[in-house]
Amino acid sequence: NIKAEVDSGMAKLLDLTRANNIAISLKAFNDFTFRSLAETINDLDPDTKIVGERVHFIPNLLPTPKEIAAVKKYKGDDDKLITAELFFRQLISIKRIEDKVQVMRTMSTFEEQAEEVRAGFKTMQQVCAQVMNSEKLIQILELILNVGNLMNEGTLDGGVEAFRFDSLPKLSQTKSADGKTTVLDYIIKMVIEKGERDTLFLTDEFPDMQESCRLSINDLKSDLNTLRNDYKLCKAELSSLKRDQSSKKKSASSLPKKAKDQGEAGPDPRKALFAAIKSRGSQADAKPKAPPDPRQALFAAIKSKKDNTNAQEESIESNITYTPGVGKLQSFVDHSKSVLSFTEQDQDAAVRACKGLAIYCGEEGGEGSVSTLLQVLSDFAASLENGVKKYDERIERERRAKKKQQDKMPRKNKEKENEPNAPPKSTRQMLKASSLQPHVGLMKNSPRRDAKNELLNAIKDQGTERKTRPSSAQENPRQAPLRRDAKNELLDAIKDR
């Protein structure tokens, strides 16, 4: 218990709350002693034991300058120190500890972060190409322009040749006189009735639109700058580590002693300068060849001495064996350099694509305006699909209402409504068709003529006529009425039928 330790006459170098938090975080490193953990940090975790979340815990374990000063100032025994103070005592001897911890984090996360940035740049490049190559978008925008000019005909806003993309959201806000139908609803209805329903589904041509709306070209560029800075830090720490370990090697081994003669130590620049001046003065009267230039002799001597010094340092450095952490960092720097180069190429391609889209859409602001533009297009594509859904729901409601109205009609009226080529309702009567005749039968109120009855009536009339006719009719056939022929009556009845 830290509080009990503090109350029992401990050194009290750290704030109690701070010391408690450090002790809790150190539980994630129970597989290390304080000394081994400090050595691992100092050599950049050569065996990659600190991975995952533990890499992100370490920055919170580092002492502040004030805490370092307090720990360095303490000259007492370790028995008086609590857990956090003991750990800090192992860290205060590490040079550039903050940089080393950052380098460890960079080596652990650089590859993943670079892949995310590259994927973002590629997504921006692809969605810009998708928008500029969309035929459906062109058709929709042309229709919107024509509708807008029709609505504004005769005004100053009519007859325009283009409009800004930030005007697209207004299509779902401008309503007709009924207060229900919007301009967007009207456009959707026109497109569907023309049989071009698929044109309204822009998301089919913008599959990466939703993902691109979560990205910003400026944020991606900032992430790339962070990767560059992390790479530079790793490269600088690599040089510092090599220099530190080289200096220890030099101090441990004897450096090459100064050569006794000029051939071993290299030419002295001052002697070379004096010799050149003397040679030039002694040959002034003879006028043979051009005398040597003292400046050239001086520069040559300086260069020769520098080359000898570099050769000596390279010889010493080639004999130095660096720690495993230096070798690990060297491999990382070499690999991350190529990864960074590929990421920068993806950035250049994405920036060109975004600038091209801004010009294509007539927007100002260059690549910085593309994020807003893509968001507007994404919302507009969603509005179109919602409008199509709304149109389908309205059509379905109308169909159900019509069906419900038909269900309420009497069955006889429903048959009349569904009968093809039916006569007007006011004069129409139910007609009956004969099974032997292709034409319809008689009207309902017309009496049906029976051939048998017609024949009997004709015979009966003929008999009656014979009884009642006077004899004078036979004597004067011209004045007698014509006799009804039963056969003809039968034929007429059949014909009428």
Side-chain angles (χ1 to χ4, degrees):
N1 190 319
I2 293 179
K3 189 176 186 304
E5 293 177 354
V6 173
D7 294 340
S8 60
M10 305 301 286
K12 301 180 182 180
L13 303 179
L14 303 178
D15 175 75
L16 179 59
T17 303
R18 165 76 167 158
N20 190 36
N21 292 335
I22 294 294
I24 293 173
S25 298
L26 284 173
K27 292 182 179 179
F29 301 90
N30 286 333
D31 52 332
F32 292 91
T33 63
F34 292 163
R35 183 177 182 83
S36 64
L37 181 57
E39 291 176 350
T40 299
I41 295 174
N42 187 44
D43 200 26
L44 305 177
D45 189 19
D47 298 328
T48 318
K49 294 181 179 179
I50 303 176
V51 295
E53 294 182 354
R54 298 207 299 183
V55 177
H56 303 284
F57 287 163
I58 295 181
N60 298 326
L61 299 176
L62 301 183
T64 64
K66 183 178 179 180
E67 292 169 343
I68 292 175
V71 173
K72 284 183 176 180
K73 186 178 179 181
Y74 177 72
K75 302 301 180 182
D77 297 334
D78 289 350
D79 297 339
K80 300 292 184 179
L81 300 178
I82 59 177
T83 302
E85 294 167 349
L86 289 171
F87 176 63
F88 284 174
R89 203 165 197 182
Q90 298 294 328
L91 297 180
I92 58 177
S93 61
I94 299 177
K95 295 181 179 180
R96 305 178 306 278
I97 185 170
E98 294 85 359
D99 292 344
K100 289 182 177 179
V101 170
Q102 179 60 36
V103 167
M104 291 173 59
R105 291 183 61 182
T106 299
M107 288 192 295
S108 177
T109 61
F110 185 88
E111 188 80 20
E112 181 180 356
Q113 291 177 352
E115 287 298 324
E116 290 180 0
V117 174
R118 292 191 65 187
F121 283 133
K122 290 179 180 178
T123 299
M124 295 296 292
Q125 183 180 359
Q126 291 171 357
V127 75
C128 289
Q130 292 167 3
V131 172
M132 289 188 287
N133 296 328
S134 174
E135 294 294 335
K136 292 182 179 180
L137 180 61
I138 294 177
Q139 296 177 19
I140 293 295
L141 295 180
E142 288 180 348
L143 180 58
I144 293 173
L145 180 63
N146 294 333
V147 171
N149 284 332
L150 182 62
M151 293 174 59
N152 297 320
E153 187 177 4
T155 67
L156 296 176
D157 296 330
V160 299
E161 297 180 355
F163 61 91
R164 296 180 60 87
F165 274 78
D166 56 11
S167 301
L168 293 177
K170 298 179 182 179
L171 296 176
S172 58
Q173 301 171 2
T174 306
K175 298 183 178 181
S176 61
D178 60 2
K180 298 180 180 180
T181 305
T182 65
V183 177
L184 187 63
D185 295 335
Y186 175 73
I187 292 173
I188 291 173
K189 179 181 178 182
M190 288 180 59
V191 174
I192 293 178
E193 290 179 352
K194 288 171 60 179
E196 300 176 358
R197 183 189 184 91
D198 292 340
T199 307
L200 299 171
F201 294 94
L202 294 178
T203 52
D204 295 342
E205 297 193 352
F206 306 150
D208 299 318
M209 180 67 75
Q210 291 294 330
E211 179 66 23
S212 67
C213 289
R214 293 190 288 267
L215 301 174
S216 169
I217 190 67
N218 291 331
D219 291 343
L220 292 173
K221 291 166 68 175
S222 177
D223 293 340
L224 178 56
N225 286 333
T226 301
L227 292 176
R228 287 196 189 101
N229 293 333
D230 291 341
Y231 168 77
K232 291 179 181 178
L233 178 62
C234 292
K235 192 175 180 181
E237 182 60 28
L238 177 62
S239 300
S240 298
L241 285 173
K242 287 184 176 181
R243 184 171 57 253
D244 293 343
Q245 296 181 18
S246 297
S247 63
K248 291 180 180 180
K249 184 72 175 179
K250 289 178 183 179
S251 62
S253 61
S254 58
L255 291 175
K257 296 182 180 180
K258 186 177 181 180
K260 294 182 181 180
D261 56 89
Q262 183 175 344
E264 293 178 353
D268 189 346
R270 294 174 296 177
K271 292 182 178 180
L273 176 61
F274 294 151
I277 295 174
K278 182 179 179 182
S279 174
R280 186 173 184 179
S282 62
Q283 298 178 3
D285 297 334
K287 294 183 180 180
K289 298 180 180 180
D293 190 346
R295 294 173 298 178
Q296 294 181 357
L298 176 63
F299 295 151
I302 294 174
K303 184 177 184 301
S304 177
K305 187 172 184 179
K306 184 178 180 181
D307 292 342
N308 291 336
T309 302
N310 293 337
Q312 293 175 0
E313 292 178 353
E314 290 176 359
S315 176
I316 296 173
E317 187 174 343
S318 63
N319 296 326
I320 295 176
T321 302
Y322 295 111
T323 60
V326 175
K328 177 182 177 181
L329 181 57
Q330 180 69 66
S331 299
F332 170 77
V333 168
D334 294 340
H335 175 68
S336 60
K337 182 179 180 180
S338 61
V339 172
L340 195 61
S341 176
F342 290 136
T343 308
E344 290 172 342
Q345 293 176 14
D346 293 335
Q347 175 195 238
D348 296 339
V351 169
R352 287 195 300 269
C354 291
K355 287 183 177 179
L357 179 61
I359 295 174
Y360 178 81
C361 297
E363 297 293 327
E364 300 177 354
E367 70 272 17
S369 63
V370 169
S371 297
T372 303
L373 178 62
L374 293 178
Q375 185 63 57
V376 170
L377 286 176
S378 177
D379 294 341
F380 177 65
S383 298
L384 285 177
E385 294 190 5
N386 291 334
V388 173
K389 183 179 180 181
K390 178 181 175 182
Y391 174 86
D392 293 340
E393 291 175 350
R394 180 176 62 82
I395 296 299
E396 180 65 17
R397 286 196 304 269
E398 294 177 354
R399 186 189 68 78
R400 291 179 179 179
K402 183 177 180 180
K403 185 176 182 300
K404 185 176 181 181
Q405 184 179 4
Q406 291 178 349
D407 292 341
K408 292 181 179 180
M409 296 172 59
R411 183 176 180 181
K412 187 175 181 180
N413 292 340
K414 286 168 57 178
E415 292 178 356
K416 293 179 182 179
E417 291 291 336
N418 296 328
E419 184 178 340
N421 300 324
K425 184 176 180 180
S426 58
T427 59
R428 188 176 61 189
Q429 299 291 338
M430 294 296 294
L431 304 178
K432 185 175 180 179
S434 171
S435 60
L436 301 178
Q437 296 173 337
H439 57 277
V440 296
L442 302 176
M443 297 296 291
K444 180 178 178 181
N445 296 329
S446 300
R448 185 174 179 182
R449 300 179 64 181
D450 192 317
K452 183 177 179 180
N453 293 332
E454 292 286 346
L455 177 59
L456 294 176
N457 292 333
I459 296 172
K460 182 179 178 181
D461 292 342
Q462 188 174 10
T464 305
E465 184 178 352
R466 289 175 180 175
K467 294 178 181 181
T468 58
R469 185 178 303 277
S471 58
S472 58
Q474 298 178 358
E475 297 176 358
N476 192 4
R478 293 183 180 179
Q479 296 180 355
L482 296 176
R483 296 177 58 188
R484 301 181 63 184
D485 192 336
K487 183 179 181 180
N488 290 337
E489 290 288 347
L490 176 62
L491 293 176
D492 290 341
I494 294 175
K495 183 178 180 182
D496 292 340
R497 184 176 180 182

